[in-house]
Amino acid sequence: MTVETKLPFNQDYIQAFSKDRNEPGWMATLRSKALEMVDSLEMPKPDKTKISNWNLTDFQHVDKEAATIASLDELPEDLKAYFDKDANMENLYIQRNQTAAYNSLAQELQDKGVIFTDIFTAIREHSDLVEKYYMNDAVAVDQNRLTALHAALMNGGVFVYVPKNVQIEEPLQAVFWQEDADSALLNHVLVVAEEGSSVTYVENYISQNDTDETVANLVTEVFAHDNAQVAYGAVDNFAAGTTTYVNRRGVAKRDARIDWALGQMNDGNTVSENITYLMGENAASDAKAVSVGRGKQTQNFTSSIRQFGKATEGYILQRGVMKGAASTIFNAIGKIEHGGTKANSEQESRVLMLSEKSRGDANPILLIDEDDVTAGHAASVGRVDPLQMYYLMSRGLEREEAERLVIHGFLAPVVAQLPIESVRKQLIQVIERKVY
């Protein structure tokens, strides 16, 4: 069965949606042109994963006005776990469905020109700045049918801007909470770090729609200018009813660095791309991702670092644990372009299977168009090492506890990289819930 892309949205709907949000002309035009492209573009074609029968285009788009939040005490208990108990709610954005329910930024950062706000406010109040970066050099509107659909119907997100030479010591945190089970999310995150600046940004996606079906179509664009550093952490935790497409891309200029630490914990079918372009000399990226699959879900994760500049460094680390009848593909692609001399590309993908019916595939790919480079890769797919189990059980541990320790040790290289302790703890709890 193939799901048709007959959209219940026309140009009148798009223009009314844009007008209701007081968007500038360029954004209304972008939406209109994107909608025109949708039917002529192909769906993404993830390697070894057939998505033609996935529902990624039939969804409820109209947002429902959600209440704002004055205190963390108003949040459900499962959401409170994402915040430190002593959090003062500074440098925090909470989106409830498509409503900006809470937004705070330390006055010191505001005085330095830092922007941390919802995407619609940014489009209105910082129009020229957003237009410069929005779906131009990182994610293209016409990349595929789903990126065009995203551009036409984008209904949430956040904008982060860090001026030249501003160093942000504390992480900025965004929580995207899909409270309504049937509400689709087409979220856009745009992070811009000017020359010599640094920022750590962490986001959480959360839903509870175990049976109601909906769609998440997520796009992230990160720009690190000369000598800037961006650390980007995420925990995606959509429930089983959400089918998810994720497209996260970064562009790093000279001496810039973009590091990714991604906890991909969705319970529904998921396709995820994480691609970084190292454009300038000495640019670097460290892309770490971890996933746990269970039930009958199908997942496809691609991490790619394309190295254009000289003496660039690209490192990909992927770890996955599969149970039940879950199936997951990990693609790690290092591409050194012509002219990228002295570049180094390393990648490692490992999948641990906990059941007979689970399936994992780790595909290391090196594409090199230059001679004077270094590169290496490693990949493995297997089950829990019986020698490790024997050693732990010989020390008095029960089998379940021994297996638990092995799994956490297996995933630790990624989990440990998340910069906010409460988010790191929550990821560990999600892993525990999914594995046991």
Side-chain angles (χ1 to χ4, degrees):
M1 181 186 76
T2 299
V3 175
E4 298 293 333
T5 318
K6 294 181 180 178
L7 297 176
F9 314 110
N10 56 26
Q11 290 291 350
D12 290 340
Y13 177 88
I14 293 296
Q15 292 304 312
F17 185 83
S18 181
K19 184 178 180 180
D20 287 345
R21 283 147 189 81
N22 297 315
E23 293 179 348
W26 69 264
M27 187 63 187
T29 299
L30 184 147
R31 288 185 183 275
S32 178
K33 290 182 177 179
L35 187 66
E36 291 175 358
M37 297 179 188
V38 170
D39 288 334
S40 64
L41 294 171
E42 294 185 347
M43 291 288 285
K45 296 181 178 179
D47 185 47
K48 300 181 182 180
T49 301
K50 185 178 180 180
I51 66 171
S52 58
N53 62 339
W54 292 16
N55 174 30
L56 286 160
T57 57
D58 183 14
F59 50 80
Q60 174 78 19
H61 178 258
V62 178
D63 58 335
K64 302 173 183 178
E65 190 70 24
T68 58
I69 297 166
S71 167
L72 292 180
D73 293 335
E74 300 177 21
L75 296 173
E77 289 300 321
D78 55 346
L79 262 72
K80 291 179 182 178
Y82 284 89
F83 306 94
D84 292 325
K85 292 181 179 180
D86 58 350
N88 57 11
M89 296 190 75
E90 279 194 336
N91 308 331
L92 174 64
Y93 173 76
I94 300 175
Q95 181 174 299
R96 191 173 189 174
N97 296 325
Q98 289 82 45
T99 299
Y102 185 88
N103 192 190
S104 176
L105 181 65
Q107 187 61 50
E108 178 186 2
L109 296 180
Q110 295 183 47
D111 294 341
K112 292 180 179 180
V114 174
I115 302 170
F116 181 42
T117 190
D118 70 275
I119 193 71
F120 293 114
T121 297
I123 289 170
R124 291 191 302 270
E125 298 182 2
H126 310 282
S127 178
D128 291 345
L129 187 57
V130 176
E131 182 182 11
K132 179 180 178 180
Y133 295 100
Y134 190 92
M135 301 196 80
N136 286 318
D137 297 329
V139 178
V141 173
D142 61 356
Q143 179 185 326
N144 58 54
R145 186 174 298 174
L146 295 182
T147 56
L149 191 63
H150 174 95
L153 296 170
M154 184 275 292
N155 62 5
V158 71
F159 177 60
V160 177
Y161 177 77
V162 188
K164 182 178 179 179
N165 294 329
V166 173
Q167 312 287 320
I168 301 180
E169 302 296 334
E170 296 296 323
L172 307 181
Q173 184 178 7
V175 175
F176 302 105
W177 170 26
Q178 284 303 92
E179 185 179 26
D180 290 339
D182 62 349
S183 183
L185 180 62
L186 290 91
N187 219 52
H188 199 100
V189 175
L190 180 57
V191 179
V192 179
E194 295 284 11
E195 180 181 349
S197 67
S198 67
V199 62
T200 295
Y201 168 84
V202 179
E203 66 187 12
N204 308 94
Y205 285 98
I206 308 162
S207 73
Q208 290 92 20
N209 55 313
D210 291 325
T211 55
D212 295 285
E213 293 188 3
T214 190
V215 173
N217 181 328
L218 315 177
V219 170
T220 287
E221 301 181 286
V222 176
F223 296 89
H225 288 276
D226 293 355
N227 201 35
Q229 296 188 38
V230 178
Y232 193 109
V235 177
D236 303 341
N237 191 18
F238 286 108
T242 300
T243 302
T244 305
Y245 171 71
V246 188
N247 192 332
R248 291 184 171 110
R249 300 202 176 201
V251 179
K253 300 298 182 66
R254 179 177 57 83
D255 296 316
R257 184 175 192 94
I258 299 176
D259 289 338
W260 308 87
L262 307 177
Q264 300 167 132
M265 296 290 134
N266 298 332
D267 279 333
N269 292 341
T270 300
V271 170
S272 174
E273 297 178 90
N274 177 213
I275 302 175
T276 308
Y277 303 97
L278 303 182
M279 305 303 298
E281 186 173 349
N282 295 317
S285 181
D286 192 338
K288 293 185 171 73
V290 61
S291 177
V292 176
R294 64 176 179 175
K296 296 181 179 180
Q297 73 177 138
T298 299
Q299 302 177 102
N300 186 295
F301 302 115
T302 296
S303 293
S304 177
I305 298 177
R306 297 187 61 182
Q307 298 169 243
F308 294 85
K310 296 180 179 179
T312 57
E313 293 277 343
Y315 180 52
I316 298 171
L317 174 63
Q318 299 173 315
R319 296 285 174 94
V321 174
M322 301 299 113
K323 65 175 296 188
S327 173
T328 297
I329 306 292
F330 279 109
N331 299 307
I333 305 172
K335 178 71 162 68
I336 300 177
E337 305 287 349
H338 181 67
T341 57
K342 306 295 183 183
N344 179 39
S345 178
E346 303 286 341
Q347 52 188 262
E348 178 184 335
S349 300
R350 303 195 184 279
V351 181
L352 191 63
M353 295 181 292
L354 302 182
S355 63
E356 292 295 329
K357 293 184 179 181
S358 61
R359 293 291 180 267
D361 195 355
N363 303 309
I365 302 169
L366 286 171
L367 305 171
I368 300 175
D369 290 338
E370 189 57 68
D371 294 328
D372 187 13
V373 300
T374 57
H377 60 77
S380 68
V381 177
R383 306 196 183 279
V384 175
D385 187 343
L387 290 178
Q388 289 181 325
M389 293 292 291
Y390 175 80
Y391 175 82
L392 292 170
M393 292 175 68
S394 71
R395 296 301 187 269
L397 295 179
E398 297 293 333
R399 173 173 289 277
E400 183 174 298
E401 181 64 16
E403 186 177 85
R404 174 179 173 275
L405 289 178
V406 170
I407 291 169
H408 280 291
F410 179 77
L411 300 177
V414 177
V415 176
Q417 295 298 312
L418 285 168
I420 295 180
E421 183 179 1
S422 58
V423 177
R424 188 164 58 247
K425 289 180 178 178
Q426 183 64 17
L427 176 56
I428 293 172
Q429 292 176 15
V430 173
I431 292 170
E432 293 265 351
R433 176 175 55 81
K434 295 194 72 171
V435 172
Y436 299 106

